[in-house]
Amino acid sequence: MIQETVPAHVVAAFQGEVGLPEPAGHAWDNGWRVGSVVYSRASGVAAGWSAKLRGTLQIDGVRLARPVRSTDGRFVVAGWKASTWIDGDLSRRVDETVLVALRLADALAEQPAPPEPEQADLFVLADHRAWEETSPEYRPVAGPMQVGHADLLTCTLYHGSQAPVVTDLVPFSVPRPRGYTAALVIVDGLIAGAVDDGILDRFRHLPDLDQLLLRAVSYRRHVNDLHPHSSSNARAHIRRVEDLLVSRLADTI
């Protein structure tokens, strides 16, 4: 299947440079870089919400890829969004990305949630199923609810000693506890084999982390079950992490 290249009229609408589009990579929603701008398909109502926030949000020690507006002030043109390109690569620096998650949570604490999608997608459904599970190991999580990032590990770039870059804001379907973004980063790192199990001890001081991790791995399990391109190999890695978390929880009871 040939991936659609950003149309010339979209580049023109954002007053972009003329040039040959180059694949920008997974962290940029598999978009296209033309000069100093990355063009990616805009997914749902959250695209405008993310762009508006990325234009003004300040995060201690973290950079955001700022949005580019079209000539008439829009963030989305013909289903495409545009962001400023910043050098960096996806990395196995999971512990550092957990810290990014905590700083991002502080910055997003008072921000309103994005508008609800007109039609629930598989990620929304997976999130709802994960938080509706009632197995004995689950218990209620106290604390304030807030908007957060559902896919931070694959949206955070590193370039030497420079501050990390978050390329986009992918919100939870509804507000969740403050530490849930960090829990998703830890779970995703463990599933990918990008970090050792010791990360669970390094961040065990986070409130309700054990419960947030269980919800996070449940979310990934439901996404895998619902996604049309899921694989048994991914499911096995998710199950490995879920078994690890349940076993550790049982040892502490």
Side-chain angles (χ1 to χ4, degrees), residues 2-253:
I2 299 176
Q3 186 179 358
E4 178 187 11
T5 306
V6 55
H9 75 271
V10 169
V11 176
F14 285 107
Q15 304 182 76
E17 304 168 40
V18 176
L20 183 66
E22 301 177 1
H26 182 68
W28 298 94
D29 288 331
N30 295 310
W32 298 88
R33 179 188 178 187
V34 183
S36 60
V37 178
V38 178
Y39 304 89
S40 309
R41 296 297 300 186
S43 55
V45 295
W49 173 89
S50 171
K52 185 177 180 180
L53 263 183
R54 286 187 289 115
T56 58
L57 194 68
Q58 299 295 323
I59 310 171
D60 183 32
V62 180
R63 294 176 291 165
L64 280 171
R66 301 300 182 185
V68 177
R69 286 182 181 269
S70 68
T71 53
D72 59 1
R74 288 179 291 166
F75 287 122
V76 178
V77 174
W80 290 82
K81 61 185 177 182
S83 302
T84 54
W85 168 266
I86 304 178
D87 285 332
D89 299 294
L90 292 175
S91 174
R92 298 171 71 89
R93 294 157 72 167
V94 181
D95 286 64
E96 291 176 66
T97 309
V98 174
L99 298 179
V100 171
L102 297 174
R103 292 171 181 171
L104 179 59
D106 289 340
L108 291 174
E110 303 302 322
Q111 297 296 333
E116 294 185 10
E118 297 178 359
Q119 184 175 358
D121 60 20
L122 69 90
F123 299 101
V124 171
L125 182 57
D127 177 70
H128 289 172
R129 288 183 178 179
W131 283 88
E132 290 168 355
E133 292 205 18
T134 57
S135 301
E137 64 264 24
Y138 294 107
R139 58 176 172 78
V141 178
M145 301 293 181
Q146 67 164 93
V147 68
H149 201 303
D151 204 19
L152 187 62
L153 190 60
T154 61
C155 290
T156 304
L157 303 178
Y158 291 90
H159 186 71
S161 60
Q162 296 183 32
V165 176
V166 175
T167 60
D168 202 358
L169 299 175
V170 183
F172 306 150
S173 63
V174 297
R176 297 298 183 196
R178 175 184 180 273
Y180 190 46
T181 297
L184 282 165
V185 170
I186 293 172
V187 162
D188 288 345
L190 290 171
I191 291 172
V195 71
D196 62 284
D197 297 352
I199 193 171
L200 302 173
D201 294 318
R202 292 192 291 274
F203 289 98
R204 63 184 175 184
H205 60 282
L206 297 179
D208 295 307
L209 181 63
D210 57 345
Q211 290 299 313
L212 296 174
L213 290 169
L214 287 177
R215 298 294 181 181
V217 75
S218 175
Y219 169 66
R220 291 304 180 205
R221 168 166 46 82
H222 285 298
V223 168
N224 187 75
D225 290 343
L226 293 167
H227 203 287
H229 302 302
S230 62
S231 68
S232 58
N233 186 53
R235 183 69 177 83
H237 288 298
I238 294 169
R239 175 56 68 186
R240 170 182 55 80
V241 174
E242 192 161 27
D243 289 345
L244 169 67
L245 297 176
V246 171
S247 175
R248 286 175 62 95
L249 182 62
D251 290 341
T252 62
I253 297 177

